[in-house]
Each structure stands twice: as structure tokens, then as C-alpha cells.
Amino acid sequence: VIMPFRSLLKKQQIIVNLAKGIEVDTLLTVSGVLEDILGTSFDNIVTLSGPSHAEEVILGHPTTLVSASKNENAAAKIQETFSNRTLRTYKNDDILGVELGGAMKNVIAIAAGICDGIGYGDNSKAALLTRGMGEITKLGTSMGAKASTFQGLSGYGDLIVTCLSKHSRNRRVGQAIGEGHSLKKVLGDMSMVAEGVLSAKSIHQLRLKHKVQMPIHEAIYQVLFEGKNPEHSVEELMTRSLTSEI
Amino acid sequence: VIMPFRSLLKKQQIIVNLAKGIEVDTLLTVSGVLEDILGTSFDNIVTLSGPSHAEEVILGHPTTLVSASKNENAAAKIQETFSNRTLRTYKNDDILGVELGGAMKNVIAIAAGICDGIGYGDNSKAALLTRGMGEITKLGTSMGAKASTFQGLSGYGDLIVTCLSKHSRNRRVGQAIGEGHSLKKVLGDMSMVAEGVLSAKSIHQLRLKHKVQMPIHEAIYQVLFEGKNPEHSVEELMTRSLTSEI
């Protein structure tokens, strides 16, 4: 099955990946899955990511993207193709960091929704986003991604746009859980998929594999899959031993 | 005037600074002003910062802070004092970075308001916050602050809480300007001070002094003080030469 697919690709043909996620069990990002199928010698894979609700792109609202690839020429080609007066694309050679940020932000979006469901305000949400991104940066860098990528458009940028949005499915799932419903009940009631639920599983596996302490993500996992009470989890997080910020 | 003030302080007495800003012309942060008055030999100065609307702290919503000082014992003492079941404080030895983040975020809040006033959505705001914080990080590190501080609670955390809030004075000033009013008219109509207007001036001076390219902040300065059209500035920012993210 594998060789014929590779043989369909022309030389210099670029694959642009718009999908986000980390495959459960294999723990591959989407470009990792493509590499697995096509072989690592094919490096014309570009992941296009960043804070970009399609509804606003269509309206011509100024929007920024990241074109990430191990192959700089491919990244530059896609950067040029996706830049005009309202769309501005930046290059980044850290495709792993860009993809990890895009997948992980959905988990924090669920947690932001849980905050809303409990009735917490902006202080709690800002703490969650910032400390959550700190954990993601720690995991990502231990996997070989760059810290600066998580500070950029595919990291904080995408996280901010997701958590600002009232329309995010991940946030809505979180809100219902924060209001006291079980994950099973919430997913049963929705017609759409909330990617963050699966990403929470992959991140749980990655965290154990790379032995990285991620207390917020551990709490989210326990709330989602082990029925732990969200308010109780928050209190545990707030009363851990005091520490330095970095 | 100076010596008597210093002599009023007992040994081991700690000054906790809650004020934010960069003094125009001297370009000192608030702890810098205190050092200027008390002498650098007095290092028991702690700046307490982070995403913390007072209204939510009173309600017991989980809130996180940073206790920053050159003196680790002083930072630890204030950290312990301001930690309980709903308030969690982290130490940070980068007091300059913590204070720069707190002051600079008000300028971005004005710009976020301008986006609202023009009618842009979340994509544009996420781009502004992320690229704006990138500029602040570049300026801060060139002044000796740590990049990681801007990624933390006093940087991105405080920026997020300010830009989420509908009550921010800085955001309201920006919104009126985005709707087409002049800064003079807007400030004349308000009874309160919008700190971001002054910080925009100090950052302009810092940017020139440290020779750091900060196109977003330059545009904000031109819109505020030179009557430049905001939508025209945004178009110029969007159509600059294409570049790498970092």
C-alpha cells in the first residue's frame, strides 16, 4: 500500500498539512504520520497553522499564519502562496513545535471551558492558559521542539484565539463538564468531535513517556477520564508546594 | 530629602511594589525609581504582579501572582504571605522582566481596543497579542530581562487577562480611537487615566535607545500621537516583507 502512494507524488510536489492532532499510541503528529507513510527522504511536507478562524479569513480580517517545514524552500513557497493584504504568513523550521502547539491547545481549551462551567473568571483563565502553556513548552522542548515556537502564533496565538472563541467545541465540552456533567454524557449529546479529548489522551501518554511533570494536564486527564471533581482538582493545584515561576 | 527616607526603613523591611509603568524620559521601572531614591544597596524591593483583577480575587476565584525581587529571601517572604487556597504566588528573580511585562501590556491592550473599534475579530487580536509580545520580548531581552519571564504570568498571563476584560480602560481608549476619534478627544472624555498611553511613549523612547525593531509598537505610537489612520497602519503591517517567525 505504501510504495504506490509515494510513487504518485511528483518531484518537488509539496504536501500541505492543515490537520492537527497527535495519534494516540503511536504519538505521531500529522506530519509524522505522513513521514511514516512516505519515508523520511520525502521532506516536502509543510504544516500551515496559526490563529485563523475561517469565518474571519473570508471576511478579510487581518490574519497571521505559520508555514512550518524541515525543508526551507517548501516553507517559503507556501508562505508566498498564502500571503496577501489580509493574510500574512511567517516561516518556521520547527514543524514539530508548530504541530504540538496546535494539538495541545485543544486540551487547554477544554480546561478553559471547565473554568467557565464552574463560574471562575478571567484571573483563573489567564493562570490556566499561562501555566498550561508552560507545561506544554516543557514537554515540547524535551521532545526536541524549540521553546520560542510555543511563544509564537501556533502556540500562544492559537491558544488565545481558541480560548477567546465562544464557538469552540472543545470549550463547550469543558463548560458542560464544569457544570457537573460526565464526559460520556457530554460527548453523547454532541454531533461533532472535540479533538481535545483525544489530545488529552496522547499528551497523557507523551507526559509519561518523556517523564515530564505536568500537573495541570494530569488534573485535566483525571477530570475527563477518571471522573475526578474539577473544583477539587483546582484546589489541589492551588495548594501544591510553592515554587519558582520558571 | 533622600537620606531621611532611607533612614526611616528598618533593617529587613521589605518594600512591596504594586504599581506598573515606565517613567517617561528616565525610562526607569517603578523598582528602578525606588532604587534611584534608596540606593542600590537596599535590595529588599519586591514587585508583585500577574493576572489579578481585584474584583475576582475578592470573590475567591483562583488567582496566580509573581513575587519578583533581586533578593531571593524577600521574594520568598512575600510569596508565602500572598499564598492561600485561592491565591498562588510564584517566585521570579527577574524583577526587570516582570515590571516591563506589566507596563508594556497596557500598550497592547490599547491596540486590542483599536482592533475592536475597527471591527476586526479574534484572528487579528491573536496576531496582535502574539506578535506584540514577541516585540516586547525582543526589547526586554536586549535590556537584560529573561525571555522566559515574558512567557509567564506577568507577561502573557497579564496580557491575556487585560485583553479579555471588557472593563480595561486601555482597551476602551483604543476602541474609541479605532472608531475614528482622536486621542485628545478620547482622553478629554474620560475621568480616569489610561496608563498605556504613557507607556506607549516610554516604549517608543526605549525602542529608539536600544535600537530594537518593533513595527507594531511603532504603528501604535503613530496612531496615538501622530494622527495616523489605524486601518492604514494595519495594512502596512500586513504587507511588510515576508520573514521568519523568530
Side-chain angles (χ1 to χ4, degrees):
Chain A
V1 184
I2 288 170
M3 288 312 290
F5 185 33
R6 170 73 195 262
S7 69
L8 289 174
L9 290 169
K10 288 181 208 130
K11 221 178 172 180
Q12 302 300 327
Q13 197 156 7
I14 297 173
I15 298 183
V16 181
N17 162 43
L18 301 172
K20 285 170 182 170
I22 302 162
E23 201 173 50
V24 175
D25 297 333
T26 70
L27 301 180
L28 291 172
T29 61
V30 179
S31 78
V33 171
L34 287 170
E35 258 186 19
D36 190 42
I37 293 170
L38 298 168
T40 49
S41 64
F42 184 84
D43 70 351
N44 275 352
I45 299 171
V46 176
T47 290
L48 198 61
S49 192
S52 46
H53 289 310
E55 306 87 317
E56 298 184 2
V57 174
I58 289 170
L59 293 171
H61 288 184
T63 300
T64 49
L65 296 172
V66 179
S67 166
S69 180
K70 292 177 188 171
N71 180 325
E72 201 192 331
N73 291 332
K77 179 85 184 160
I78 299 306
Q79 174 185 40
E80 283 159 34
T81 308
F82 288 90
S83 290
N84 61 29
R85 292 158 75 93
T86 58
L87 197 60
R88 181 167 170 81
T89 301
Y90 296 83
K91 272 188 308 184
N92 191 321
D93 60 9
D94 180 18
I95 188 169
L96 176 64
V98 164
E99 291 191 271
L100 288 177
M104 290 168 166
K105 69 117 204 305
N106 287 326
V107 182
I108 302 287
I110 293 182
I114 293 177
C115 282
D116 287 337
I118 296 177
Y120 293 150
D122 295 339
N123 291 1
S124 308
K125 215 180 275 184
L128 168 75
L129 264 65
T130 312
R131 298 296 304 173
M133 184 53 89
E135 291 185 5
I136 287 171
T137 305
K138 220 162 48 164
L139 175 62
T141 50
S142 83
M143 293 170 66
K146 294 179 186 172
S148 55
T149 300
F150 298 98
Q151 206 154 357
L153 294 166
S154 58
Y156 260 115
D158 206 4
L159 180 65
I160 289 168
V161 89
T162 304
C163 293
L164 280 175
S165 167
K166 292 284 164 213
H167 314 295
S168 156
R169 295 187 297 273
N170 293 297
R171 209 199 55 78
R172 271 194 292 153
V173 166
Q175 177 155 358
I177 290 168
E179 288 165 354
H181 303 283
S182 73
L183 178 64
K184 201 175 159 187
K185 164 96 173 57
V186 175
L187 293 183
D189 287 352
M190 285 183 91
S191 54
M192 292 187 289
V193 180
E195 305 100 322
V197 174
L198 284 177
S199 295
K201 264 193 192 152
S202 336
I203 290 172
H204 174 72
Q205 296 176 338
L206 281 172
R207 176 169 67 76
L208 297 176
K209 181 178 169 190
H210 294 275
K211 298 187 177 56
V212 179
Q213 282 237 353
M214 301 174 73
I216 294 174
H217 284 81
E218 192 179 338
I220 298 170
Y221 184 86
Q222 291 170 337
V223 167
L224 290 179
F225 302 110
E226 297 173 357
K228 190 157 178 180
N229 178 279
E231 286 179 77
H232 187 202
S233 296
V234 170
E235 192 177 320
E236 277 180 10
L237 287 170
M238 292 298 289
T239 52
R240 297 177 75 232
S241 350
L242 296 178
T243 176
S244 290
E245 193 180 12
I246 310 301
Chain B
V1 185
I2 288 169
M3 288 312 290
F5 184 35
R6 170 73 195 263
S7 68
L8 290 174
L9 290 170
K10 290 181 206 129
K11 220 177 172 179
Q12 302 299 328
Q13 198 157 3
I14 297 173
I15 297 183
V16 181
N17 163 44
L18 301 171
K20 286 170 183 170
I22 302 162
E23 201 173 49
V24 175
D25 297 333
T26 69
L27 301 180
L28 292 172
T29 61
V30 179
S31 78
V33 172
L34 287 169
E35 257 186 19
D36 190 40
I37 293 171
L38 298 168
T40 48
S41 64
F42 184 85
D43 71 350
N44 275 352
I45 299 171
V46 175
T47 290
L48 198 60
S49 191
S52 47
H53 289 308
E55 307 87 315
E56 296 183 3
V57 175
I58 290 170
L59 292 171
H61 288 183
T63 300
T64 50
L65 295 172
V66 179
S67 166
S69 180
K70 292 176 186 170
N71 180 325
E72 201 192 330
N73 291 332
K77 178 85 184 163
I78 299 306
Q79 175 185 38
E80 283 160 33
T81 309
F82 288 90
S83 290
N84 61 30
R85 292 157 74 94
T86 59
L87 197 59
R88 181 168 170 81
T89 301
Y90 295 83
K91 273 189 306 184
N92 191 322
D93 59 10
D94 180 19
I95 188 169
L96 176 65
V98 164
E99 291 191 271
L100 288 177
M104 291 167 166
K105 68 119 203 305
N106 286 326
V107 183
I108 303 286
I110 293 181
I114 294 177
C115 282
D116 287 336
I118 296 177
Y120 293 150
D122 295 339
N123 291 1
S124 307
K125 214 178 277 184
L128 167 74
L129 265 66
T130 313
R131 299 297 303 173
M133 184 53 89
E135 292 186 4
I136 287 171
T137 306
K138 221 164 44 167
L139 175 61
T141 50
S142 83
M143 293 171 65
K146 294 180 187 171
S148 54
T149 301
F150 298 97
Q151 207 155 356
L153 295 166
S154 59
Y156 260 116
D158 207 3
L159 180 67
I160 289 169
V161 89
T162 303
C163 293
L164 280 176
S165 168
K166 291 284 163 215
H167 313 294
S168 157
R169 296 186 296 274
N170 293 298
R171 208 199 55 79
R172 270 194 292 152
V173 166
Q175 177 155 358
I177 289 168
E179 286 165 356
H181 303 284
S182 73
L183 178 64
K184 204 176 157 186
K185 165 96 173 59
V186 175
L187 293 183
D189 288 352
M190 285 183 91
S191 54
M192 293 186 287
V193 180
E195 304 99 321
V197 175
L198 284 177
S199 296
K201 264 194 193 152
S202 336
I203 290 173
H204 175 71
Q205 295 176 340
L206 280 172
R207 176 170 66 77
L208 297 176
K209 180 179 170 189
H210 294 276
K211 299 187 175 57
V212 179
Q213 283 238 352
M214 300 174 72
I216 294 175
H217 284 81
E218 193 179 337
I220 297 169
Y221 184 86
Q222 291 169 338
V223 168
L224 290 180
F225 302 110
E226 296 172 359
K228 190 156 179 182
N229 178 280
E231 286 179 76
H232 187 200
S233 295
V234 171
E235 192 177 320
E236 277 180 9
L237 287 170
M238 293 298 288
T239 52
R240 299 178 74 232
S241 349
L242 295 177
T243 175
S244 291
E245 194 180 12
I246 310 301

